[in-house]
Amino acid sequence: MTSIFSRIIAREIPAEIVYQDDLVTAFKDIHPQAPYHVLIVPNKEIPTVDDVTADDELMLGRMFSAARSIARDLGIGDKGYRLIVNCKDDGGQEVYHLHMHLVGGYALGRMLPKRD
Ligand code: 5GP
């Protein structure tokens, strides 16, 4: 089945694409959870982190290079930002097409809420 992100990459449904190359595409999240919220997605449909293989290592590195470049373009490279990858149900993944969230625009604080 074609994921919603594959359809965005193929330009079949609209999204604000901010970056695209031969391996990855990045576009603004439809429900931003921070002033800047971009999704960086492999062009190849890989469902989750649990499905990556050694053959994907170039693409995985590109996701980080793209994140750095996009963050610089957004003007948040110096102050910083957070990269998040959710995996499957316990990780809170909703769209089963691997993606990295780039969020920033203010001091995000601690990574996870404290648990007792
Ligand atoms: P997940 O919970 O899977 O890590 O995150 C999925 C993200 O995809 C969510 O932040 C959600 O807002 C975003 N999203 C879901 N559908 C669409 C869409 O059709 N377009 C865009 N731009 N973002 C989407």
Side-chain angles (χ1 to χ4, degrees):
M1 220 175 81
T2 305
S3 77
I4 189 103
F5 292 169
S6 288
R7 298 189 63 208
I8 287 173
I9 292 162
R11 318 246 172 179
E12 289 171 10
I13 58 171
E16 272 193 77
I17 293 177
V18 297
Y19 178 91
Q20 188 161 44
D21 64 25
D22 57 323
L23 292 176
V24 304
T25 299
F27 47 89
K28 292 186 185 174
D29 197 290
I30 201 166
H31 298 304
Q33 294 182 41
Y36 300 106
H37 189 168
V38 171
L39 301 173
I40 301 158
V41 179
N43 295 338
K44 173 181 156 190
E45 196 167 316
I46 299 169
T48 79
V49 172
D50 194 45
D51 300 296
V52 301
T53 70
D55 288 343
D56 298 317
E57 285 173 5
L58 183 64
M59 176 279 295
L60 293 168
R62 189 71 62 81
M63 288 174 76
F64 279 91
S65 304
R68 177 191 183 275
S69 167
I70 293 161
R72 293 249 142 233
D73 288 348
L74 293 172
I76 58 173
D78 287 338
K79 285 198 129 186
Y81 48 91
R82 183 168 293 156
L83 301 174
I84 301 167
V85 180
N86 297 321
C87 182
K88 298 187 179 174
D89 286 351
D90 274 9
Q93 184 174 3
E94 289 175 5
V95 177
Y96 276 60
H97 182 148
L98 179 65
H99 52 281
M100 176 188 277
H101 298 254
L102 187 170
V103 288
Y106 66 104
L108 295 164
R110 57 187 307 122
M111 190 176 69
L112 292 171
K114 258 189 179 166
R115 298 188 76 189
D116 294 329

